């Protein structure tokens, strides 16, 4: 059994930054394929039609029968491609934890898509956006190997999960972990950020040898150290939030500590949320 990671690079979601490094105004999404001799399981999809076409072509290149696509959390840039994947691979089951399924219902609806996603990616969001079904017992069997869904609670959104592959000691972390990328915190609070950091710390106890972040710098390895980095970033944000007054001050203080991470728009969105700026 092996795994492979696919990346797509796209503009960030928060685009009204006061300033920031011009060469880092992007974010990369990942999708992970875990595969055996005959079958495979895909973890996460992408936001736009073209991104998901590229993903489908990549999965096909492995020559395996795709049995499942697992969605780690209810954000459109991870679940909007389900319909295209299901159409491309007859018989595949799109699954998620019950918490992710519950959150996905609103995310795929016309209000969320029209008011948010279509404004950012006009004419690019899939028209068919099915919701995954609940994964029975939170386990997928792949040629006799267990792939285990582990609930993570509220990380960058409610209803998050990770996929743990014990036989590879692989953690496909979704947005529970970020790799050299500013973390999305526009839905977070001081309390949920503390919970998220504690979750990242707890997952280190699995002792993974590889951790795939939902958003990463494609040039960086899937180093398990990103779990500690994710937790440290969140605690730094909470610490600096308590010591600053405005969104601009918080943004500047965090950029001083993390000047070269991709997608500073996520930091700006989190700073505005922390200081209640619309």
């Amino acid at each position: 059994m092996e795994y492979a990671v696919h990346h797509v690079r796209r503009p960030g979601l928060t685009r009204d930054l006061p300033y920031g490094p011009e060469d880092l105004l992007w974010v990369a999404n990942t999708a992970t394929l875990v595969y055996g001799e005959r079958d495979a399981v895909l973890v996460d999809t992408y936001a736009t039609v073209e991104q998901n076409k590229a993903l489908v072509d990549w999965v096909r290149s492995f020559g395996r029968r795709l049995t499942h696509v697992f969605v780690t959390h209810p954000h459109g840039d991870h679940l909007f491609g389900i319909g295209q994947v299901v159409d491309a691979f007859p018989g595949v089951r799109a699954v998620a934890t019950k918490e992710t399924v519950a959150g996905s219902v609103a995310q795929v609806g016309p209000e969320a898509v029209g008011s948010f996603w279509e404004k950012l990616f006009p004419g690019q969001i899939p028209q068919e956006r099915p919701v995954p079904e609940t994964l029975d017992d939170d386990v997928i069997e792949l040629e006799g190997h267990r792939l285990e869904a582990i609930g993570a609670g509220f990380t960058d959104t409610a209803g998050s999960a990770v996929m743990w592959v014990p036989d590879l000691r692989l953690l496909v972390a979704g947005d529970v972990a970020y790799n050299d990328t500013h973390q999305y915190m526009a839905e977070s609070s001081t309390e949920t950020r503390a919970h998220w950091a504690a979750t990242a710390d707890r997952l280190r106890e699995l002792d993974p040898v590889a951790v795939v972040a939902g958003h990463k710098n494609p040039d960086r390895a899937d180093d398990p150290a990103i779990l500690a980095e994710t937790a440290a970033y969140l605690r730094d944000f909470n610490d600096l939030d308590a010591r600053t007054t405005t969104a601009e001050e918080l943004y500047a203080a965090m950029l001083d500590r993390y000047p070269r991470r991709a997608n500073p728009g996520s930091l700006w969105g989190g700073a505005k949320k922390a200081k209640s700026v619309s």
Side-chain angles (χ1 to χ4, degrees), residues 56-79:
V56 165
D57 289 343
W58 176 75
V59 173
R60 280 186 173 140
S61 73
F62 286 82
R64 298 326 195 258
R65 179 179 72 101
L66 190 67
T67 64
H68 296 78
V69 53
F70 176 78
V71 177
T72 57
H73 63 287
H75 275 159
D77 58 330
H78 296 259
L79 68 87

Side-chain angles (χ1 to χ4, degrees), residues 12-130:
L13 302 180
T14 302
R15 303 174 185 175
D16 63 338
L17 287 73
Y19 64 92
E22 295 289 330
D23 61 324
L24 295 172
L25 301 181
W26 53 269
V27 61
N29 275 63
T30 69
T32 301
L33 192 72
V34 183
Y35 58 97
E37 293 183 3
R38 303 172 307 278
D39 297 338
V41 173
L42 177 66
V43 182
D44 283 339
T45 67
Y46 297 139
T48 72
V49 171
E50 289 302 315
Q51 290 166 0
N52 288 301
K53 282 181 179 177
L55 178 61
V56 165
D57 289 343
W58 176 75
V59 173
R60 280 186 173 140
S61 73
F62 286 82
R64 298 326 195 258
R65 179 179 72 101
L66 190 67
T67 64
H68 296 78
V69 53
F70 176 78
V71 177
T72 57
H73 63 287
H75 275 159
D77 58 330
H78 296 259
L79 68 87
F80 284 164
I82 287 175
Q84 286 173 262
V85 172
V86 170
D87 287 345
F89 300 97
V92 67
R93 289 181 63 203
V95 296
T97 64
K98 64 180 180 180
E99 294 82 8
T100 295
V101 172
S104 297
V105 175
Q107 184 75 186
V108 303
E111 182 176 346
V113 172
S115 65
F116 184 76
W117 291 101
E118 274 289 347
K119 288 184 176 179
L120 294 170
F121 302 97
Q124 300 173 62
I125 303 302
Q127 292 299 301
E128 293 186 20
R129 299 180 296 273

Side-chain angles (χ1 to χ4, degrees), residues 3 8 48 58 66 77 90 117 124 134-135 139 148 161 166 173 191 199 218 246 249 251 265 275:
Y3 83 98
V8 294
T48 72
W58 176 75
L66 190 67
D77 58 330
W117 291 101
Q124 300 173 62
T134 300
L135 177 60
V139 172
E148 303 172 2
E191 293 74 22
T199 298
T246 68
E249 290 173 348
Y251 177 70
K275 301 304 184 183

Side-chain angles (χ1 to χ4, degrees), residues 152-210:
F154 201 120
T155 58
D156 73 352
T157 193
S160 298
V162 301
M163 180 62 76
W164 170 237
V165 187
D167 289 345
L168 294 177
R169 289 174 62 198
L170 166 68
L171 184 68
V172 186
D175 286 5
V176 176
Y178 279 64
N179 190 337
D180 201 32
T181 302
H182 287 287
Q183 293 164 213
Y184 174 74
M185 298 177 292
E187 298 177 35
S188 71
S189 66
T190 302
E191 293 74 22
T192 64
R193 290 188 292 270
H195 167 84
W196 182 359
T199 298
D201 284 341
R202 187 177 73 250
L203 290 171
R204 294 170 62 193
E205 297 172 7
L206 294 170
D207 193 26
V209 298

Side-chain angles (χ1 to χ4, degrees), residues 68 70 93 95 135-142 145-149 163:
H68 296 78
F70 176 78
R93 289 181 63 203
V95 296
L135 177 60
D136 302 330
D137 301 322
D138 289 339
V139 172
I140 296 172
E141 293 284 346
L142 175 62
H145 303 277
R146 289 171 59 89
L147 281 62
E148 303 172 2
M163 180 62 76

